[in-house]
Amino acid sequence: METLAALFTFWREQADKLGEQTLQHIGLTAASLLLAVLLGVPVGLWLSRRPRWAPAVLGLAGVLQTVPSIALLGFLIPLLGIGPKPAIFALFLYSLLPIIRNTLTGIQGVAPAVVEAARGLGLTDGQVLRRVELPLALPVLMAGIRTATVINVGVATLAAYVAAGGLGEFIFGGIALNNPAMILAGALPAAGLALAFDAALGAVQKLSARRLRQVGRALLVALPLLGSLYLLPRATGKLLAGFSPEFVGRADGLPGLTKTYGLTHLPNVVLAPALVYEAARNANVDVIDGYSTDGRIRAYNLRVLHDDQHVFPPYYAAPVVRPALLREHPELAAVLGQLDGQISDSVMTNLNYRADYLHQSPQVIAEAFLRRRGLWRAPRPAVENAPVVRLGSKIFAEQYILAELYAALIRGNTNLTVQTKTGLGGTTICFDALRDGAIDMYPEYTGTGLLVLLQPTPAVVDSLGGRPEAVLNYVRQEFRSRYNLEWLAPLGFNNTYALLMRQRQAQELGITSVSELGQYLRQ
C-alpha cells in the first residue's frame, strides 16, 4: 500500500512529464511500425513470388531481432546520433521479422484452387494479388503487425537510453535510484499501452475482408499522425547535456549541482551510462556526467570540470563483503588486503584506458597489473567441491577490472573456487544481490554508499565535511548496523563524479570549472 500511495503521488506530481513521455512512446511505436509496414509487406509479397529467397531474407530479419537492443542502439549512435532517429530505426528493424513472415505465410496460405479459379476468370497476376490473395491473407498479415506493435511498445522503453524519451525514462531512473514507485510510474503505462494496442489490433483482425481493407487504409493514414506525436517542443540552450538516469536523480548528481551552481539553463537528455561518452565524443551533446578515473577521458580528449564548490563527496573504492565470508574463510582477509592502497587515481585511469580505448580484456589488464606489483600467483589446481566465492560488479569497465583483480588473488592464494557475476547493472542491483546472498562481495564507492544507499539527512552529510576518512567511517559503521555488511580498506583511488566537456570546446569557451559553466549559461 505504501508503494501504491507513493506511485499515485509520483503520478500526480509528474503528470506533465508522464503525458509527454506517453505521447513520445506512442510516437516512437507508430513511426517505426509505419516504416516496417511500408517495407515489410512488399518484401513479404516479393518473397511469395520468389520463395527461394525466403530462407535468406527471413534469416537476416531473425538475426537482426536477436541483437540486444542496447547494443544495437550503441552501434547506431555514431551513424544517426542521439534522439529519435536511432530509436525509431532500431524499432523498425525489430518489427520486420513478424511482418515479413506473416505476409509471406498469409499469401502462401491461400488455397491454390482459389488462385487458379481467379486466373481462369481472366485476372492478371496483379489483380489476383489485389483482389484475391491479399484480402484472404489480411488476417494473418494483421497478426504480424499486431505482434510487431506489442514488441515495439516494450522495446521502446529502451529509447530513453539514447535521449529519445518515452516511458523508459521513469523506468531506468527508478532502477538506478532504487525507487519502486518511479519504476512502476513508467512500467504500468507502458504495459497499458501494449495491452491497448494489442486489443485494438485484435479487434481489427476479426473484421471482414472488406472492412479490414478499409481499416488498413485508415491505419496507413493514422500511423504518420501518431508518429508525429513525437515532435514535441524541447528546451534549448547554449549547451546540451547528456546524463545517465542515476545522475539525474541522485542528490550528489544533477539536483545538487543545480542547487549549488545554478545550472538551470542547461537542458539535458537521458542516456545510457555506457553511451554518454560516445555522445560527447560524437558531439551529440556538450556536457556529460562521468567518473574522474575513466579511461575515456584520456581516450576521447575530454576535460574534467573542476568541482570548485565541492558538491561531489569522496568516492574512494573499497570492497564490500558479507561478514560470513570472512568468518568461514579467514585467510581471505589477508588475500584481499594485498590491494589496500595499491591503486592511485592515475593508475586506475590508465587501467581504464586500456579497457575502454585499447579494448584489452579485464582479465589481461588485471594479470598485468598484479605482475608489475609482484602480486601475481598462478591459479592453484582446482579442488573438488571447494567452497565458492561469488564476486559481483556493476556494468562498467572499472568494476570488471577490480573484480578480476580480486578473482586472480583468490585463485592464486587460496584453494577456493571463484565465480564472477559481472555487469549486474547499477548500484542497487549489486547491493541487493549482496544483501540477498547472491554474491559475496563487490567493489563500491564511499560516496555512493553514503548518498545512494544510506541517504542520510543533509545535516549528517554536512557534518562529514567531505573528509574521506570521516565518510568511510560513517559508511562502515552504518553498513554494519543496518545491513550486517563490512567495508574493507580502500584501494587508494577516488573515482568521484565529474562533469566533462570536450577539451577543445571547453578551451574555446574558457570553461575549466562547474562555476564557469554556470556563468557561461547565464550570460
Side-chain angles (χ1 to χ4, degrees):
M1 290 300 294
E2 183 178 343
T3 301
L4 191 60
L7 171 62
F8 286 119
T9 300
F10 186 89
W11 270 341
R12 185 173 62 254
E13 294 175 348
Q14 301 287 335
D16 292 343
K17 187 69 173 176
L18 176 65
E20 178 184 332
Q21 290 183 2
T22 302
L23 292 177
Q24 289 173 342
H25 211 94
I26 295 172
L28 289 168
T29 302
S32 58
L33 187 64
L34 174 62
L35 294 176
V37 169
L38 292 177
L39 178 64
V41 171
V43 169
L45 296 176
W46 179 78
L47 290 178
S48 69
R49 299 298 190 257
R50 295 168 179 80
R52 70 178 183 277
W53 288 94
V57 174
L58 293 177
L60 176 60
V63 169
L64 290 174
Q65 200 164 41
T66 62
V67 177
S69 307
I70 192 64
L72 180 58
L73 291 170
F75 291 140
L76 292 175
I77 279 185
L79 300 175
L80 301 176
I82 61 173
K85 290 181 181 179
I88 291 173
F89 189 71
L91 293 174
F92 154 73
L93 293 179
Y94 285 126
S95 302
L96 287 177
L97 178 61
I99 293 176
I100 294 174
R101 183 172 56 196
N102 277 48
T103 301
L104 175 61
T105 301
I107 296 296
Q108 290 177 336
V110 177
V114 174
V115 176
E116 288 301 320
R119 289 200 174 105
L121 293 174
L123 272 63
T124 64
D125 286 347
Q127 290 173 327
V128 169
L129 176 64
R130 293 192 304 272
R131 298 182 183 182
V132 179
E133 291 178 308
L134 263 180
L136 293 176
L138 268 178
V140 179
L141 191 157
M142 286 299 300
I145 295 176
R146 182 179 175 183
T147 301
T149 303
V150 174
I151 290 173
N152 274 13
V153 172
V155 178
T157 56
L158 291 172
Y161 267 164
V162 290
L167 293 163
E169 286 191 16
F170 282 157
I171 296 173
F172 297 120
I175 292 173
L177 299 170
N178 193 24
N179 187 334
M182 192 174 182
I183 297 172
L184 292 173
L188 291 181
L193 284 178
L195 292 174
F197 278 126
D198 186 57
L201 292 175
V204 170
Q205 190 178 346
K206 296 177 182 178
L207 297 176
S208 65
R210 188 174 67 84
R211 294 291 302 276
L212 198 54
R213 288 197 299 271
Q214 295 173 348
V215 172
R217 286 192 289 268
L219 284 176
L220 289 177
V221 175
L223 286 176
L225 296 177
L226 290 173
S228 68
L229 290 175
Y230 187 85
L231 302 176
L232 297 171
R234 295 198 170 206
T236 57
K238 293 182 176 180
L239 301 174
L240 176 65
F243 296 138
S244 61
E246 188 169 348
F247 185 81
V248 171
R250 283 175 57 151
D252 59 329
L254 185 59
L257 286 174
T258 301
K259 180 180 178 181
T260 303
Y261 293 103
L263 302 181
T264 54
H265 301 285
L266 182 62
N268 62 85
V269 294
V270 176
L271 289 166
L275 301 179
V276 290
Y277 286 90
E278 290 297 327
R281 181 189 190 186
N282 294 313
N284 301 125
V285 295
D286 305 299
V287 182
I288 63 170
D289 66 297
Y291 299 97
S292 58
T293 60
D294 198 296
R296 285 166 291 189
I297 296 174
R298 171 185 168 188
Y300 298 167
N301 195 26
L302 303 176
R303 172 180 290 183
V304 176
L305 302 185
H306 177 52
D307 177 26
D308 48 308
Q309 297 294 325
H310 307 292
V311 171
F312 300 130
Y315 284 82
Y316 282 88
V320 185
V321 304
R322 295 191 306 111
L325 177 69
L326 300 180
R327 289 196 300 269
E328 295 167 6
H329 310 289
E331 70 276 16
L332 275 179
V335 173
L336 300 178
Q338 293 182 59
L339 289 182
D340 294 356
Q342 290 292 312
I343 306 177
S344 65
D345 289 5
S346 59
V347 169
M348 194 68 245
T349 300
N350 184 59
L351 296 180
N352 286 330
Y353 172 79
R354 294 175 62 184
D356 293 326
Y357 190 67
L358 302 182
H359 304 299
Q360 297 178 0
S361 73
Q363 187 173 4
V364 169
I365 295 170
E367 179 178 337
F369 172 82
L370 293 175
R371 288 184 182 277
R372 287 196 303 272
R373 296 301 172 99
L375 300 174
W376 171 256
R377 301 288 183 276
R380 295 185 180 182
V383 177
E384 187 175 358
N385 298 323
V388 177
V389 178
R390 294 158 299 177
L391 305 182
S393 84
K394 302 180 190 180
I395 191 166
F396 55 94
E398 179 171 292
Q399 289 266 314
Y400 296 155
I401 295 170
L402 296 179
E404 290 295 341
L405 286 171
Y406 283 118
L409 287 175
I410 295 172
R411 291 188 180 111
N413 292 277
T414 75
N415 292 319
L416 301 173
T417 299
V418 178
Q419 288 182 357
T420 55
K421 297 184 177 183
T422 54
L424 291 179
T427 296
T428 55
I429 296 177
C430 277
F431 178 64
D432 288 341
L434 185 64
R435 292 182 64 190
D436 296 341
I439 58 175
D440 298 306
M441 61 175 284
Y442 81 97
E444 190 51 279
Y445 306 91
T446 54
T448 301
L450 174 70
L451 295 174
V452 176
L453 299 176
L454 295 176
Q455 299 182 0
T457 63
V460 171
V461 176
D462 292 341
S463 70
L464 300 176
R467 302 186 306 275
E469 192 64 29
V471 172
L472 174 61
N473 289 337
Y474 177 82
V475 169
R476 180 176 279 161
Q477 179 180 343
E478 291 298 312
F479 266 62
R480 286 172 180 167
S481 60
R482 294 193 201 183
Y483 310 122
N484 190 31
L485 297 175
E486 187 68 32
W487 283 72
L488 302 185
L491 301 176
F493 68 94
N494 178 25
N495 187 7
T496 183
Y497 256 140
L499 284 190
L500 309 173
M501 294 181 65
R502 289 183 298 280
Q503 186 76 249
R504 182 175 179 180
Q505 183 184 31
Q507 187 173 352
E508 291 174 351
L509 300 177
I511 298 175
T512 61
S513 68
V514 185
S515 288
E516 291 175 349
L517 172 64
Q519 292 170 5
Y520 171 78
L521 294 172
R522 290 190 294 270
Q523 290 175 357

